[in-house]
Amino acid sequence: MINDNNHEDILVSQIDTGVLTITLNRPKFYNALRNNALKEIADVLTSAEKDNNIKVIIITGGEKVFAAGADIKEMNQLNVVGLLNDNRPVFWNKIANCSKPIIAVVNGFALGAGCELMMHCDIVIAGDNAQIGQPEINLGIIPGAGGTQRLLRTVGKSMAMQMVLSGEFINAEQAKNFGLVSEITLPELSYHRALKLAKVIANKSPIAVRLAKESLLYAYESTLAAGLAAERKAFILLAATDDRTEGITAFIEKRQPIFKGQ
Ligand code: HXC
């Protein structure tokens, strides 16, 4: 069971059909992401991949804090060999490779690994209390889970340099202006907004959603020509699905489509 809540660092719930919610649950430590938290998230996502009833995943830390970074005390125990053998990158890869859409609901601090977790998600809804940053430089280190790469690709060179080199936080408005966040709400409304959006996506064809996500993320990895070719192949592949026939037929018959993921 995915939502058996047999977890130490997260809570998992499936309130609505099709939407699984992962809530980071170490509020005393500002949801600092120790290895176990990432392992639990990765494990839940791996199970969610196999469950056809789950269409969209929401990751939140609640209304006060998203995550204040890697657990600094845990990180302090690892020397260079410990970091070399650390399985954290395996967990990050599982999160990055999740084929289903992930919506982050970000309130309060999203710092260091918290900001990196946010950037692993596909859509970010932020509360107006969000404070986002990569403050690793204050610890004499640098981001280690995509914080230099994903941040620069999203906000551009100058802002990425400013955030990573100074460690200063940006607010929700700035994050939205720089494309890190798609919408800002009141903190108490952020989860509801994400849930509404998740339900909209959950009603689409899951195959089209999967290939759309894959094509969009390909833009990070490839040249424009390679990205366009990959998009075209995915577009053509969808012609073999019942969902495409249903979607187009429903439009012509002026009714709502019923997608079955076939
Ligand atoms: C472990 C943390 C923590 C963290 C907060 N806490 N952040 N514990 N790791 N990243 C704990 C504090 O020790 C404290 O516990 C409690 O949470 C509340 O924090 P306070 O500092 O008392 O709260 P406040 O004064 O409100 O300040 C909030 C804060 C500050 C600005 C978020 O806690 C802070 O600067 N935290 C560290 C942020 C950071 O540097 N993140 C990057 C981490 S490195 P106690 O028990 O003392 O009360 C990283 C590397 C990624 O993420 C690399 C990937 C491999």
Side-chain angles (χ1 to χ4, degrees):
M1 277 284 284
I2 298 180
N3 53 348
D4 58 4
N5 275 322
N6 206 4
H7 307 283
E8 281 182 55
D9 292 12
I10 60 173
L11 294 171
V12 183
S13 62
Q14 195 174 352
I15 312 165
D16 278 89
T17 326
V19 184
L20 188 81
T21 300
I22 298 173
T23 305
L24 307 173
N25 189 34
R26 286 215 305 156
K28 239 180 109 186
F29 304 102
Y30 283 27
N31 295 332
L33 294 163
R34 56 180 177 174
N35 276 17
N36 185 60
L38 290 179
K39 180 185 183 307
E40 289 183 350
I41 295 169
D43 286 350
V44 168
L45 293 179
T46 303
S47 304
E49 291 266 17
K50 297 178 203 144
D51 187 336
N52 288 339
N53 294 315
I54 297 167
K55 315 275 196 230
V56 181
I57 297 111
I58 295 177
I59 300 183
T60 181
E63 292 175 17
K64 296 206 172 88
V65 62
F66 185 65
D71 188 312
I72 296 171
K73 287 169 194 158
E74 183 183 67
M75 198 170 58
N76 190 34
Q77 286 164 16
L78 294 178
N79 61 12
V80 66
V81 177
L83 285 172
L84 203 59
N85 293 329
D86 196 3
N87 47 10
R88 247 175 124 85
V90 175
F91 306 139
W92 282 119
N93 278 338
K94 285 200 175 159
I95 300 169
N97 291 329
C98 179
S99 66
K100 300 188 178 180
I102 308 178
I103 303 177
V105 175
V106 173
N107 291 300
F109 295 117
L111 307 176
C115 181
E116 289 168 318
L117 177 61
M118 180 192 89
M119 290 190 290
H120 274 70
C121 298
D122 302 306
I123 300 172
V124 182
I125 305 294
D128 62 11
N129 61 350
Q131 292 195 65
I132 295 167
Q134 296 286 165
E136 287 90 341
I137 202 82
N138 299 327
L139 302 170
I141 60 171
I142 66 168
T148 59
Q149 300 305 299
R150 288 195 178 86
L151 190 65
L152 189 138
R153 280 169 167 78
T154 307
V155 305
K157 180 182 163 192
S158 184
M159 192 45 145
M161 286 282 183
Q162 186 173 320
M163 289 172 70
V164 172
L165 302 187
S166 75
E168 284 180 5
F169 308 158
I170 59 172
N171 62 28
E173 200 61 45
Q174 290 170 297
K176 184 163 178 289
N177 290 341
F178 278 94
L180 273 173
V181 157
S182 59
E183 279 183 33
I184 301 173
T185 68
L186 292 171
E188 57 272 29
L189 299 181
S190 55
Y191 178 74
H192 294 285
R193 173 60 189 134
L195 192 57
K196 206 171 158 198
L197 189 59
K199 284 198 233 170
V200 170
I201 297 169
N203 279 325
K204 311 296 181 198
S205 160
I207 316 172
V209 167
R210 177 182 177 155
L211 291 183
K213 168 170 171 166
E214 205 176 292
S215 296
L216 284 158
L217 288 180
Y218 206 74
Y220 274 140
E221 314 277 351
S222 70
T223 59
L224 178 61
L228 290 172
E231 179 198 80
R232 188 71 195 164
K233 279 197 187 119
F235 177 81
I236 292 168
L237 193 65
L238 286 168
T241 64
D242 293 346
D243 280 355
R244 177 191 190 257
T245 309
E246 166 64 8
I248 294 174
T249 307
F251 175 80
I252 293 166
E253 292 176 356
K254 299 187 187 300
R255 62 173 174 80
Q256 287 300 312
I258 301 164
F259 294 118
K260 295 190 174 144
Q262 298 295 322

CSV table of all heavy atoms in Angstrom, one decimal, residues 29-65:
chain,number,residue,atom,x,y,z
A,29,PHE,N,12.0,20.3,12.4
A,29,PHE,CA,13.3,20.6,11.7
A,29,PHE,C,13.1,21.3,10.4
A,29,PHE,O,13.8,21.1,9.5
A,29,PHE,CB,14.1,19.3,11.6
A,29,PHE,CG,14.3,18.6,12.9
A,29,PHE,CD1,13.6,17.5,13.2
A,29,PHE,CD2,15.3,19.1,13.8
A,29,PHE,CE1,13.8,16.9,14.5
A,29,PHE,CE2,15.4,18.5,15.0
A,29,PHE,CZ,14.7,17.4,15.4
A,30,TYR,N,12.0,22.0,10.3
A,30,TYR,CA,11.6,22.7,9.1
A,30,TYR,C,11.7,21.7,7.9
A,30,TYR,O,12.1,22.1,6.8
A,30,TYR,CB,12.6,23.9,8.9
A,30,TYR,CG,12.2,25.1,9.7
A,30,TYR,CD1,11.6,24.9,10.9
A,30,TYR,CD2,12.5,26.4,9.3
A,30,TYR,CE1,11.3,26.0,11.7
A,30,TYR,CE2,12.2,27.5,10.1
A,30,TYR,CZ,11.6,27.3,11.3
A,30,TYR,OH,11.3,28.4,12.1
A,31,ASN,N,11.3,20.5,8.1
A,31,ASN,CA,11.2,19.5,7.0
A,31,ASN,C,12.6,19.3,6.4
A,31,ASN,O,12.6,18.9,5.2
A,31,ASN,CB,10.2,19.8,6.0
A,31,ASN,CG,8.8,19.8,6.5
A,31,ASN,OD1,8.5,19.0,7.5
A,31,ASN,ND2,7.9,20.6,6.0
A,32,ALA,N,13.7,19.5,7.1
A,32,ALA,CA,15.0,19.2,6.6
A,32,ALA,C,15.0,17.8,6.0
A,32,ALA,O,14.6,16.9,6.6
A,32,ALA,CB,16.1,19.4,7.7
A,33,LEU,N,15.6,17.7,4.8
A,33,LEU,CA,15.5,16.5,4.0
A,33,LEU,C,16.6,15.6,4.3
A,33,LEU,O,17.7,15.6,3.6
A,33,LEU,CB,15.4,16.8,2.5
A,33,LEU,CG,14.2,17.6,2.1
A,33,LEU,CD1,14.4,18.3,0.7
A,33,LEU,CD2,13.0,16.7,2.0
A,34,ARG,N,16.5,14.8,5.3
A,34,ARG,CA,17.5,13.8,5.5
A,34,ARG,C,17.3,12.7,4.5
A,34,ARG,O,16.3,12.6,3.8
A,34,ARG,CB,17.5,13.2,7.0
A,34,ARG,CG,16.1,12.6,7.4
A,34,ARG,CD,16.2,12.1,8.8
A,34,ARG,NE,14.9,11.6,9.2
A,34,ARG,CZ,14.6,10.9,10.3
A,34,ARG,NH1,15.6,10.7,11.2
A,34,ARG,NH2,13.4,10.5,10.6
A,35,ASN,N,18.3,11.8,4.4
A,35,ASN,CA,18.3,10.8,3.3
A,35,ASN,C,17.0,10.0,3.4
A,35,ASN,O,16.4,9.6,2.3
A,35,ASN,CB,19.5,9.8,3.5
A,35,ASN,CG,20.7,10.3,2.8
A,35,ASN,OD1,20.8,11.5,2.5
A,35,ASN,ND2,21.7,9.5,2.5
A,36,ASN,N,16.6,9.6,4.6
A,36,ASN,CA,15.4,8.8,4.7
A,36,ASN,C,14.1,9.5,4.0
A,36,ASN,O,13.3,8.8,3.5
A,36,ASN,CB,15.1,8.5,6.2
A,36,ASN,CG,13.9,7.6,6.3
A,36,ASN,OD1,14.0,6.5,5.8
A,36,ASN,ND2,12.8,8.0,6.9
A,37,ALA,N,14.1,10.8,4.1
A,37,ALA,CA,12.9,11.5,3.5
A,37,ALA,C,13.0,11.3,2.0
A,37,ALA,O,11.9,11.0,1.4
A,37,ALA,CB,13.0,13.0,3.9
A,38,LEU,N,14.1,11.5,1.4
A,38,LEU,CA,14.3,11.3,0.0
A,38,LEU,C,14.0,9.9,-0.4
A,38,LEU,O,13.3,9.6,-1.4
A,38,LEU,CB,15.6,11.8,-0.5
A,38,LEU,CG,15.9,13.2,-0.4
A,38,LEU,CD1,17.3,13.5,-0.9
A,38,LEU,CD2,14.9,14.0,-1.3
A,39,LYS,N,14.5,9.0,0.4
A,39,LYS,CA,14.2,7.5,0.1
A,39,LYS,C,12.7,7.3,0.1
A,39,LYS,O,12.2,6.6,-0.8
A,39,LYS,CB,14.9,6.6,1.1
A,39,LYS,CG,14.7,5.2,0.9
A,39,LYS,CD,15.3,4.3,1.9
A,39,LYS,CE,15.1,2.8,1.6
A,39,LYS,NZ,13.7,2.4,1.3
A,40,GLU,N,12.0,7.8,1.2
A,40,GLU,CA,10.6,7.6,1.3
A,40,GLU,C,9.8,8.2,0.1
A,40,GLU,O,8.9,7.6,-0.5
A,40,GLU,CB,10.1,8.1,2.6
A,40,GLU,CG,10.5,7.2,3.8
A,40,GLU,CD,10.0,7.7,5.1
A,40,GLU,OE1,9.4,8.7,5.2
A,40,GLU,OE2,10.3,6.9,6.1
A,41,ILE,N,10.2,9.4,-0.3
A,41,ILE,CA,9.6,10.0,-1.5
A,41,ILE,C,9.8,9.2,-2.7
A,41,ILE,O,8.9,8.9,-3.5
A,41,ILE,CB,10.1,11.5,-1.7
A,41,ILE,CG1,9.8,12.4,-0.5
A,41,ILE,CG2,9.6,12.1,-3.0
A,41,ILE,CD1,10.5,13.7,-0.5
A,42,ALA,N,11.1,8.8,-2.9
A,42,ALA,CA,11.4,8.0,-4.1
A,42,ALA,C,10.7,6.7,-4.1
A,42,ALA,O,10.1,6.2,-5.2
A,42,ALA,CB,12.9,7.7,-4.1
A,43,ASP,N,10.5,6.0,-3.0
A,43,ASP,CA,9.8,4.7,-2.9
A,43,ASP,C,8.3,4.9,-3.2
A,43,ASP,O,7.7,4.1,-4.0
A,43,ASP,CB,9.9,4.1,-1.5
A,43,ASP,CG,11.3,3.5,-1.2
A,43,ASP,OD1,12.1,3.4,-2.2
A,43,ASP,OD2,11.6,3.2,-0.1
A,44,VAL,N,7.7,6.0,-2.7
A,44,VAL,CA,6.3,6.3,-3.0
A,44,VAL,C,6.1,6.6,-4.5
A,44,VAL,O,5.2,6.0,-5.1
A,44,VAL,CB,5.8,7.4,-2.1
A,44,VAL,CG1,4.4,7.9,-2.6
A,44,VAL,CG2,5.7,7.0,-0.6
A,45,LEU,N,7.0,7.3,-5.0
A,45,LEU,CA,6.9,7.6,-6.5
A,45,LEU,C,7.0,6.4,-7.3
A,45,LEU,O,6.3,6.2,-8.3
A,45,LEU,CB,7.9,8.7,-6.9
A,45,LEU,CG,7.7,10.1,-6.3
A,45,LEU,CD1,8.8,11.1,-6.8
A,45,LEU,CD2,6.3,10.7,-6.6
A,46,THR,N,8.0,5.5,-6.9
A,46,THR,CA,8.2,4.2,-7.7
A,46,THR,C,6.9,3.4,-7.6
A,46,THR,O,6.5,2.9,-8.6
A,46,THR,CB,9.3,3.5,-7.0
A,46,THR,OG1,10.5,4.3,-7.1
A,46,THR,CG2,9.6,2.2,-7.8
A,47,SER,N,6.2,3.4,-6.5
A,47,SER,CA,5.0,2.6,-6.4
A,47,SER,C,3.9,3.3,-7.2
A,47,SER,O,3.1,2.7,-7.8
A,47,SER,CB,4.5,2.5,-4.9
A,47,SER,OG,5.5,1.9,-4.2
A,48,ALA,N,3.9,4.7,-7.1
A,48,ALA,CA,2.8,5.4,-7.8
A,48,ALA,C,2.9,5.2,-9.3
A,48,ALA,O,1.9,5.2,-10.0
A,48,ALA,CB,2.9,6.9,-7.4
A,49,GLU,N,4.1,5.0,-9.8
A,49,GLU,CA,4.3,4.8,-11.2
A,49,GLU,C,3.5,3.6,-11.7
A,49,GLU,O,3.0,3.5,-12.8
A,49,GLU,CB,5.8,4.5,-11.5
A,49,GLU,CG,6.8,5.7,-11.3
A,49,GLU,CD,7.0,6.4,-12.6
A,49,GLU,OE1,6.2,6.2,-13.6
A,49,GLU,OE2,8.0,7.2,-12.7
A,50,LYS,N,3.5,2.6,-10.8
A,50,LYS,CA,2.9,1.3,-11.2
A,50,LYS,C,1.3,1.3,-11.0
A,50,LYS,O,0.7,0.4,-11.3
A,50,LYS,CB,3.5,0.2,-10.4
A,50,LYS,CG,5.0,0.0,-10.6
A,50,LYS,CD,5.5,-1.1,-9.8
A,50,LYS,CE,7.0,-1.0,-9.6
A,50,LYS,NZ,7.4,-1.3,-8.2
A,51,ASP,N,0.8,2.3,-10.3
A,51,ASP,CA,-0.6,2.3,-9.9
A,51,ASP,C,-1.4,3.2,-10.9
A,51,ASP,O,-1.3,4.4,-10.9
A,51,ASP,CB,-0.7,2.9,-8.5
A,51,ASP,CG,-2.1,2.8,-8.0
A,51,ASP,OD1,-3.1,2.7,-8.8
A,51,ASP,OD2,-2.3,2.8,-6.7
A,52,ASN,N,-2.2,2.5,-11.7
A,52,ASN,CA,-2.9,3.3,-12.8
A,52,ASN,C,-4.0,4.2,-12.2
A,52,ASN,O,-4.5,5.1,-12.9
A,52,ASN,CB,-3.6,2.3,-13.7
A,52,ASN,CG,-2.6,1.6,-14.6
A,52,ASN,OD1,-1.5,2.1,-14.8
A,52,ASN,ND2,-3.0,0.4,-15.1
A,53,ASN,N,-4.3,4.0,-10.9
A,53,ASN,CA,-5.3,4.9,-10.3
A,53,ASN,C,-4.7,6.3,-9.9
A,53,ASN,O,-5.4,7.2,-9.6
A,53,ASN,CB,-5.9,4.3,-9.1
A,53,ASN,CG,-6.7,3.1,-9.5
A,53,ASN,OD1,-7.5,3.1,-10.4
A,53,ASN,ND2,-6.5,2.0,-8.7
A,54,ILE,N,-3.4,6.3,-9.9
A,54,ILE,CA,-2.7,7.6,-9.5
A,54,ILE,C,-2.3,8.3,-10.8
A,54,ILE,O,-1.5,7.7,-11.6
A,54,ILE,CB,-1.5,7.3,-8.6
A,54,ILE,CG1,-2.0,6.7,-7.3
A,54,ILE,CG2,-0.8,8.6,-8.3
A,54,ILE,CD1,-1.0,6.2,-6.4
A,55,LYS,N,-2.8,9.5,-11.0
A,55,LYS,CA,-2.5,10.2,-12.2
A,55,LYS,C,-1.5,11.4,-11.9
A,55,LYS,O,-0.8,11.8,-12.8
A,55,LYS,CB,-3.8,10.8,-12.8
A,55,LYS,CG,-4.9,9.8,-12.9
A,55,LYS,CD,-4.9,8.9,-14.1
A,55,LYS,CE,-6.2,8.2,-14.3
A,55,LYS,NZ,-6.1,6.8,-14.5
A,56,VAL,N,-1.7,12.0,-10.8
A,56,VAL,CA,-0.9,13.2,-10.5
A,56,VAL,C,-0.4,13.1,-9.0
A,56,VAL,O,-1.2,12.6,-8.2
A,56,VAL,CB,-1.7,14.5,-10.7
A,56,VAL,CG1,-0.9,15.7,-10.4
A,56,VAL,CG2,-2.3,14.6,-12.1
A,57,ILE,N,0.8,13.6,-8.7
A,57,ILE,CA,1.3,13.6,-7.4
A,57,ILE,C,1.5,15.0,-6.9
A,57,ILE,O,2.0,15.9,-7.7
A,57,ILE,CB,2.6,12.8,-7.3
A,57,ILE,CG1,2.4,11.4,-7.6
A,57,ILE,CG2,3.2,12.9,-5.9
A,57,ILE,CD1,3.0,10.9,-8.9
A,58,ILE,N,1.1,15.3,-5.7
A,58,ILE,CA,1.4,16.7,-5.1
A,58,ILE,C,2.4,16.5,-4.0
A,58,ILE,O,2.3,15.5,-3.2
A,58,ILE,CB,0.1,17.3,-4.5
A,58,ILE,CG1,-0.9,17.6,-5.6
A,58,ILE,CG2,0.4,18.6,-3.7
A,58,ILE,CD1,-2.3,18.1,-5.1
A,59,ILE,N,3.4,17.3,-4.0
A,59,ILE,CA,4.3,17.3,-2.8
A,59,ILE,C,4.2,18.6,-2.1
A,59,ILE,O,4.4,19.7,-2.7
A,59,ILE,CB,5.8,17.1,-3.3
A,59,ILE,CG1,5.9,15.7,-4.0
A,59,ILE,CG2,6.8,17.1,-2.1
A,59,ILE,CD1,7.3,15.3,-4.4
A,60,THR,N,4.0,18.6,-0.8
A,60,THR,CA,3.9,19.8,0.0
A,60,THR,C,4.6,19.6,1.3
A,60,THR,O,4.9,18.5,1.7
A,60,THR,CB,2.4,20.2,0.2
A,60,THR,OG1,2.3,21.4,0.9
A,60,THR,CG2,1.6,19.1,0.9
A,61,GLY,N,4.8,20.8,2.0
A,61,GLY,CA,5.3,20.7,3.3
A,61,GLY,C,4.3,21.3,4.3
A,61,GLY,O,4.6,21.5,5.5
A,62,GLY,N,3.1,21.6,3.8
A,62,GLY,CA,2.1,22.3,4.6
A,62,GLY,C,2.1,23.8,4.4
A,62,GLY,O,2.7,24.3,3.4
A,63,GLU,N,1.5,24.5,5.2
A,63,GLU,CA,1.3,26.0,5.0
A,63,GLU,C,2.4,26.8,5.5
A,63,GLU,O,2.4,28.0,5.2
A,63,GLU,CB,-0.1,26.4,5.7
A,63,GLU,CG,-1.3,25.8,5.0
A,63,GLU,CD,-2.6,26.1,5.6
A,63,GLU,OE1,-2.6,27.1,6.5
A,63,GLU,OE2,-3.6,25.5,5.3
A,64,LYS,N,3.3,26.2,6.3
A,64,LYS,CA,4.3,27.1,7.0
A,64,LYS,C,5.7,27.0,6.4
A,64,LYS,O,6.4,28.0,6.2
A,64,LYS,CB,4.4,26.8,8.5
A,64,LYS,CG,3.1,27.1,9.2
A,64,LYS,CD,3.4,27.4,10.7
A,64,LYS,CE,2.2,27.8,11.4
A,64,LYS,NZ,1.4,26.7,11.9
A,65,VAL,N,6.1,25.8,6.0
A,65,VAL,CA,7.4,25.6,5.5
A,65,VAL,C,7.4,24.4,4.5
A,65,VAL,O,6.7,23.4,4.7
A,65,VAL,CB,8.5,25.3,6.6
A,65,VAL,CG1,8.2,24.0,7.4
A,65,VAL,CG2,9.9,25.3,6.1
